[in-house]
Amino acid sequence: MTAATQAGLRTRALVLQHGAVIAPRGLATRELTHHTFSCALADPVVRSPARGLSYTFMAAEALWILAGDDTVAGIAPYNPRIAAFSDDGMTFFGAYGPRVAAQLDYVVDRLAADPATRQAVLTTWRPCPPVTKDVPCTVALAFMIRAQRLNCHAFMRSSDAWLGLPYDCFNFAMIAAKVACAYNRRAARSRVQLGALHLTAASAHLYASNFEAAAACV
């Protein structure tokens, strides 16, 4: 069992067992606040047959983000239901791609200038978001090189342990892999390997509609 699979199962179990009952937007939910887990960046795929994950969509979404895309047309062919989160039917307000693409060079520049830096951070949050169907769940990704390994620290305001977590793990790992590749092209004498993904969620949660399925998995 991969570390990502273990992290996903453990998170679901903890939410079910210890999550407080809340109802944001009137939706019954169990929630753990300030939940953190780690998994290997080199093995970020959650394997859970009972979850029914789409690995085609997982790969397509990562490529869509890395391409800097925010269009419905660029991702909906792999998951038609995702179009419902677009405000105008053409783009997604909270899409990570444009912000990742705009800040990736900065992240690599910081790491290349000082491999011990704590400033290699990109933000995906949109300041003062308007009313929208697509408020970003992720606030920031911080990249640190320690012991010749690139680690990614993800900070999320909201992490759905059933719907989103498996895809988020993979997406963050692919962003980190791109950072590592770009860094290694510049610093051939001090190449890095992939380290760990450390994901911290202000709210790790499950909606009531997914309680039964999540319980069956764990």
Side-chain angles (χ1 to χ4, degrees):
M1 184 182 294
T2 68
T5 302
Q6 290 178 325
L9 291 173
R10 180 173 179 273
T11 297
R12 292 171 194 163
L14 288 173
V15 172
L16 287 170
Q17 293 169 8
H18 304 294
V21 177
I22 61 168
R25 305 189 311 281
L27 300 173
T29 307
R30 283 195 176 273
E31 175 190 70
L32 282 181
T33 59
H34 190 68
H35 176 68
T36 297
F37 69 81
S38 301
C39 65
L41 283 169
D43 195 6
V45 179
V46 173
R47 298 179 176 91
S48 179
R51 168 61 180 82
L53 294 166
S54 169
Y55 296 106
T56 299
F57 172 66
M58 187 178 289
E61 185 181 33
L63 183 59
W64 181 68
I65 291 171
L66 291 174
D69 199 351
D70 66 353
T71 65
V72 173
I75 192 63
Y78 306 96
N79 182 356
R81 290 176 295 178
I82 201 171
F85 294 96
S86 170
D87 297 317
D88 60 7
M90 298 180 64
T91 62
F92 295 95
F93 173 83
Y96 300 157
R99 274 154 290 288
V100 170
Q103 298 172 77
L104 206 66
D105 285 346
Y106 164 82
V107 167
V108 178
D109 287 345
R110 291 295 89 214
L111 293 170
D114 177 9
T117 188
R118 299 178 298 239
Q119 300 176 10
V121 179
L122 65 83
T123 56
T124 51
W125 179 250
R126 298 291 297 273
C128 304
V131 176
T132 174
K133 299 177 184 176
D134 189 32
V135 177
C137 292
T138 305
V139 176
L141 301 176
F143 302 89
M144 300 176 68
I145 296 174
R146 298 294 184 268
Q148 292 304 112
R149 292 184 178 276
L150 179 75
N151 301 306
C152 175
H153 301 261
F155 304 96
M156 303 186 71
R157 66 165 184 88
S158 175
S159 176
D160 187 319
W162 180 255
L163 295 174
L165 185 148
Y167 299 101
D168 290 331
C169 284
F170 188 77
N171 288 332
F172 299 154
M174 293 303 100
I175 295 169
K178 186 165 185 175
V179 170
C181 288
Y183 175 85
N184 285 341
R185 283 195 294 269
R186 295 197 196 183
R189 295 183 180 179
S190 58
R191 296 171 66 86
V192 296
Q193 296 180 345
L194 291 176
L197 167 65
H198 304 290
L199 190 154
T200 298
S203 168
H205 56 267
L206 289 165
Y207 290 106
S209 57
N210 301 129
F211 287 172
E212 184 175 348
C217 279
V218 301

